[in-house]
């Protein structure tokens, strides 16, 4: 019997989950829940669409509900609410607020005897796992996380709020010089500017003051002021043709020393190069949905993180097969 | 109270374990067990040395025994034997024989209520974990493992068995062309020759036929015949000065597609660059010794692999601290 997945929210992430489920023979996508008018939403694979109000009526039809909303306002409310009724997975990514979110979801899930896994994706997610393994192994060391080259949604939004800007896209780019320093096993303290640069592709409104836009972007506090930022003005056509993807990726690199006098250096590197940030995140969500299903079957309830889940729970294969083919 | 570790076998791996334990504030190295005359063995940090016969008398002094013998003859016998009395960790690395070894150790450890974790290190070990995570996430894909640049002990031994050879060292080197093809997200079928080359540094006996040695090495079945092999003749002094380290490393790269029609490509890469192969392996063994200790305290017995252990068990930090700082 398949693991029956419900998709709660149908943006890029929800669509990614829907197509990721098709790659997993042991799973089936039951339906999508939306806050929009369900009749206005057409799914990629033709699965039915219901109003979020109807979700609770479907507790017996769904094994795991994957929450595909945003971290700012959706998930802090939706995950604890839905954990009353379902095993749930979310991609809550506001790092500083994870402990509070975890506590809320844990209380609910323990009461309802459901299994929740939060902050699933790549950062937080597989990058977090890389940081934990490598720091547990190379105890005397230091790790670095670099992001990109990739599109930052938040920074692209910030550009679009600048007066005179019609549209825009921002890429975060790790500095090669910083990457190679860390790969050599050195452990410098970088400034923000030394780790990443930011590149903006901007479509200006007709007659707008380009110089003013560029200065305003480059001096924007938190978003751009601490970085070397490049601004390119391009046409809407060019933006659409060359910058409509949502690529991303990055690097987690830890270097450390071993030996009685720290005489030997080691470097552990984990990296991702993603054509589609939301589709990769969705693929991670789906693997952890399988884990939540298995954990719940074993009676393990409450709110978990990627740190708590044995890697073997993510796979569709049997333990014997995994050990024989991958160990 | 510290986790008390016993070290069973005192070669490169045993010494690596001894110095790795010094980097972990929650652990202490109790003693070394050796098959040699204990009075002939001097430890790096001055911990006592006992005969392996005495190990069983120390069940109350040791929380986890790390087995530092070889996979060919030592571990198949030692791990099941010691799992009768201790929580044990080994680095059994004969991939094809792991299922049989696992079964034997599991039967013993379940009976004795001990926790064993076998095949710990980097391959098998962290490379296996990388293969499992990445294949569970990118279901529609293919992974590749490359080794090196690094010293292969088995191949170096093979060189030294050739007539006329006094000493020698062999490096396994991944082919850049293969690495970059895979990093682009392509999924070719490589021949053995297309993935790695082998480079040998050989010290010949006086008057030996160098041409004959070179041909014999290059045509050696299993070891060299299927590879492009380079042989350099050097002096014993040069070998000692430039090739006395035991560096190693490698890459696990998986590429896969997502999207309803597989339109987006993704690449996950995990890599290691190690100055000392045995010291890195030892650091992994020590982290899993902590995990075995914790699992056993929770009553989880039997033989486990790196796939079965939640990453959080490897760390010395509290769950709260790990979640706040690494997720």
């Amino acid at each position: 019997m398949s693991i029956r997945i419900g998709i709660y929210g149908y943006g890029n992430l929800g669509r990614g989950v829907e197509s990721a489920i098709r790659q997993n023979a042991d799973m089936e996508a039951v339906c999508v829940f939306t806050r929009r008018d369900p009749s206005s939403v057409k799914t990629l694979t033709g699965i039915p669409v219901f109003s979020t109000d109807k979700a609770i009526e479907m507790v017996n039809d769904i094994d795991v509900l994957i929450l595909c909303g945003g971290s700012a306002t959706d998930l802090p409310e939706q995950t604890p609410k839905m954990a009353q009724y379902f095993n749930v997975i979310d991609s809550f990514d506001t790092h500083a607020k994870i402990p509070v979110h975890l506590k809320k979801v844990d209380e609910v899930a323990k009461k309802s005897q459901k299994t929740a896994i939060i902050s699933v994706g790549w950062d937080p997610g597989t990058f977090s796992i890389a940081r934990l393994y490598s720091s547990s192994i190379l105890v005397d060391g230091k790790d670095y996380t670099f992001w990109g080259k990739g599109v930052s949604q938040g920074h692209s939004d910030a550009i679009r709020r600048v007066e005179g800007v019609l549209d825009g896209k921002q890429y975060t780019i790790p500095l090669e010089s910083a990457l190679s320093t860390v790969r050599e096993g050195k452990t410098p303290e970088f400034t923000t500017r030394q780790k990443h640069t930011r590149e903006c592709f901007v479509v200006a409104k007709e007659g707008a003051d380009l110089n003013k836009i560029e200065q305003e972007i480059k001096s924007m506090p938190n978003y751009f002021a601490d970085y070397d930022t490049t601004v390119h003005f391009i046409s809407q056509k060019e933006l659409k043709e060359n910058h409509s993807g949502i690529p991303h990726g990055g690097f987690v690199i830890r270097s450390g020393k071993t030996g009685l006098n720290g005489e030997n250096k080691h470097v552990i590197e984990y990296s991702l190069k993603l054509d589609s940030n939301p589709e990769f995140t969705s693929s991670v969500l789906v693997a952890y949905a399988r884990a939540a299903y298995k954990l719940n079957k074993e009676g393990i309830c409450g709110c978990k993180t990627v740190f708590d889940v044995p890697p073997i729970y993510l796979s569709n294969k049997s333990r014997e097969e995994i050990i024989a083919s991958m160990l």
Side-chain angles (χ1 to χ4, degrees), chain A:
Chain A
M1 213 180 74
S2 292
I3 304 172
R4 301 165 303 167
I5 308 286
I7 302 169
Y8 198 92
Y10 199 63
N12 284 331
L13 209 55
R15 281 192 293 272
V17 167
E18 185 185 5
S19 53
I21 289 169
R22 295 248 292 201
Q23 297 184 319
N24 289 277
D26 61 335
M27 294 185 163
E28 92 187 80
V30 174
C31 64
V32 160
F33 298 106
T34 182
R35 283 176 299 198
R36 291 175 274 171
D37 171 6
S39 69
S40 73
V41 176
K42 209 182 142 12
T43 55
L44 291 174
T45 63
I47 57 168
V49 182
F50 302 113
S51 164
T52 48
D53 304 336
K54 303 281 175 203
I56 298 172
E57 298 169 21
M58 295 185 66
V59 284
N60 295 321
D61 305 300
I62 291 170
D63 295 311
V64 185
L65 189 65
I66 302 183
L67 300 167
C68 300
S71 295
T73 57
D74 298 337
L75 299 176
E77 184 238 322
Q78 290 170 359
T79 312
K81 187 174 163 197
M82 288 300 132
Q84 293 180 273
Y85 310 100
F86 298 98
N87 299 314
V88 293
I89 305 292
D90 81 18
S91 62
F92 185 76
D93 67 358
T94 313
H95 293 262
K97 294 184 179 169
I98 290 172
V100 170
H101 186 56
L102 177 76
K103 191 163 175 281
K104 270 169 68 179
V105 177
D106 192 50
E107 278 167 14
V108 174
K110 280 202 173 121
K111 213 174 281 174
S112 64
Q113 301 280 297
K114 297 295 178 189
T115 308
I117 310 178
I118 60 156
S119 302
V120 173
W122 59 276
D123 197 359
T126 64
F127 270 24
S128 319
I129 294 170
R131 287 187 284 261
L132 177 55
Y133 275 114
S134 61
S135 63
S136 302
I137 292 166
L138 291 178
V139 176
D140 181 9
K142 189 169 159 66
D143 55 55
Y144 297 84
T145 302
F146 295 89
W147 296 275
K149 184 181 175 174
V151 172
S152 161
Q153 215 53 58
H155 288 77
S156 299
D157 291 347
I159 291 173
R160 286 190 287 261
R161 287 193 298 263
V162 170
E163 203 191 314
V165 170
L166 200 64
D167 205 350
K169 204 99 179 218
Q170 191 270 178
Y171 295 91
T172 305
I173 305 167
L175 269 161
E176 270 304 327
S177 57
L179 280 171
S180 49
T181 304
V182 171
R183 284 188 183 127
E184 285 166 23
K186 292 178 188 156
T187 53
E189 295 289 338
F190 290 118
T191 62
T192 300
R193 196 176 299 273
Q194 288 170 330
K195 282 184 74 187
H196 298 91
T197 58
R198 298 197 178 276
E199 191 171 21
C200 309
F201 292 87
V202 179
V203 182
K205 286 178 187 161
E206 236 186 271
D209 181 342
L210 302 190
N211 201 36
K212 191 165 162 270
I213 290 174
E214 181 169 344
Q215 289 319 312
E216 198 168 325
I217 292 173
K218 287 185 172 177
S219 61
M220 204 184 290
N222 303 318
Y223 286 92
F224 295 101
D226 298 333
Y227 298 84
D228 286 338
T229 301
T230 321
V231 177
H232 307 279
F233 289 97
I234 61 172
S235 68
Q236 183 78 62
K237 184 167 173 287
E238 270 178 279
L239 189 79
K240 199 181 168 201
E241 279 174 14
N242 304 327
H243 304 283
S244 59
I246 322 175
H248 220 312
F251 307 82
V252 175
I253 307 176
R254 185 172 181 94
S255 67
K257 293 170 180 173
T258 65
L260 214 52
N261 303 301
E263 56 271 37
N264 287 310
K265 280 191 306 191
H266 309 276
V267 179
I268 306 175
E269 178 166 342
Y270 177 82
S271 71
L272 296 173
K273 201 171 67 184
L274 314 175
D275 272 1
S276 165
N277 183 357
E279 284 183 10
F280 185 81
T281 301
S282 300
S283 298
V284 183
L285 290 169
V286 166
Y288 277 94
R290 177 183 293 120
Y293 175 80
K294 293 186 193 173
L295 288 167
N296 192 261
K297 285 263 171 216
E298 294 178 11
I300 298 166
C301 304
C303 186
K304 306 294 172 189
T305 69
V306 294
F307 298 145
D308 305 305
V309 179
I312 202 160
Y313 281 73
L314 305 193
S315 178
N316 181 19
K317 301 196 169 77
S318 72
R319 183 165 184 254
E320 289 63 36
E321 196 180 346
I322 292 168
I323 287 170
S325 65
M326 290 189 225
L327 192 59

